[in-house]
Amino acid sequence: QKEVEQDPGPLSVPEGAIVSLNCTYSNSAFQYFMWYRQYSRKGPELLMYTYSSGNKEDGRFTAQVDKSSKYISLFIRDSQPSDSATYLCAPTSNFNKFYFGSGTKLNVKP
Amino acid sequence: DARVTQTPRHKVTEMGQEVTMRCQPILGHNTVFWYRQTMMQGLELLAYFRNRAPLDDSGMPKDRFSAEMPDATLATLKIQPSEPRDSAVYFCASGYSQPQHFGDGTRLSIL
């Protein structure tokens, strides 16, 4: 079993929709939960990260972690065509080693 | 805005040739990671260094791959001899007790 599972998509939504991206993980030692966005032919770019369980909001993006169910979510409000990219979750226990999901490809249609 | 710099951005070479990829981490970052990304496997950790010392290289094929940090401003990943199955995008990332930041990768094609 992989440390982190993520639906590869692709996920196609109309502009303005609310998007929900999710990951599950198996290692209860994970304390920090990162979300990266990767555009085609570019490196992953850190979007946001959270510590332990709870929510964190940054503009149109909200990261949510439920450690009891080992479930990580990223919500995008009012999605834009510029949000079209691959989104990767990456939990870690101590920033030594990051465990990346396979990424979900998102397409926001104008 | 500080960035991780990788060179070359693209490399095409024939099977059996030596390939060297270079990475300049963000100044002040003490941890450097090397990843390989393919469509099939996604992002795989090859090796990482802290304060220039290798901490984990278990993801790297030892017989042909080697990673070093000659100094704090340069990390290298070498493949010798290269094989077609090494074709992938290789990313370097750096961090310091925080989420890592990635370069834009070296796109490697082995013919």
Side-chain angles (χ1 to χ4, degrees):
Chain A
Q1 186 191 1
K2 279 189 169 184
E3 297 267 7
V4 180
E5 299 280 357
Q6 188 175 7
D7 187 334
L11 182 61
S12 189
V13 301
E15 183 175 354
I18 296 174
V19 175
S20 172
L21 304 165
N22 309 293
C23 292
T24 58
Y25 64 93
S26 55
N27 190 340
S28 57
F30 290 152
Q31 295 283 355
Y32 303 90
F33 303 88
M34 264 64 62
W35 282 97
Y36 286 84
R37 176 176 63 195
Q38 186 175 21
Y39 291 115
S40 180
R41 295 186 173 266
K42 301 288 279 184
E45 166 197 17
L46 179 68
L47 259 182
M48 57 195 305
Y49 78 99
T50 56
Y51 171 69
S52 196
S53 281
N55 292 2
K56 184 175 182 179
E57 189 174 317
D58 184 359
R60 297 184 294 110
F61 298 87
T62 300
Q64 192 173 78
V65 176
D66 182 346
K67 290 190 72 179
S68 62
S69 58
K70 298 189 178 66
Y71 199 80
I72 314 166
S73 299
L74 178 71
F75 299 96
I76 308 174
R77 289 187 302 281
D78 187 24
S79 56
Q80 303 295 308
S82 59
D83 296 328
S84 298
T86 297
Y87 290 80
L88 303 110
C89 61
T92 181
S93 56
N94 54 11
F95 298 119
N96 279 342
K97 197 168 179 178
F98 296 73
Y99 295 83
F100 281 85
S102 55
T104 299
K105 189 168 184 178
L106 172 67
N107 180 32
V108 181
K109 299 173 291 186
Chain B
D1 214 12
R3 299 179 62 84
V4 174
T5 304
Q6 290 188 247
T7 55
R9 290 295 314 278
H10 304 273
K11 176 76 175 178
V12 181
T13 192
E14 292 188 344
M15 182 174 66
Q17 296 298 304
E18 177 176 300
V19 173
T20 298
M21 291 169 273
R22 293 178 175 81
C23 167
Q24 181 177 0
I26 293 172
L27 191 65
H29 284 188
N30 68 344
T31 309
V32 175
F33 304 82
W34 282 107
Y35 291 89
R36 175 170 62 185
Q37 188 176 43
T38 61
M39 289 291 290
M40 293 299 296
Q41 299 296 327
L43 206 54
E44 301 174 275
L45 178 65
L46 297 175
Y48 72 99
F49 294 75
R50 174 152 295 153
N51 298 321
R52 296 175 54 200
L55 283 193
D56 186 346
D57 62 1
S58 58
M60 213 161 62
K62 300 288 193 303
D63 56 339
R64 299 183 300 107
F65 284 59
S66 62
E68 294 180 344
M69 277 201 76
D71 61 60
T73 65
L74 176 65
T76 62
L77 180 66
K78 290 186 182 179
I79 309 175
Q80 169 63 19
S82 57
E83 297 181 2
R85 60 180 166 149
D86 301 328
S87 297
V89 182
Y90 290 80
F91 288 105
C92 174
S94 71
Y96 182 82
S97 299
Q98 63 179 332
Q100 55 197 281
H101 295 265
F102 283 79
D104 281 335
T106 294
R107 187 171 294 270
L108 178 64
S109 294
I110 308 296
L111 307 176

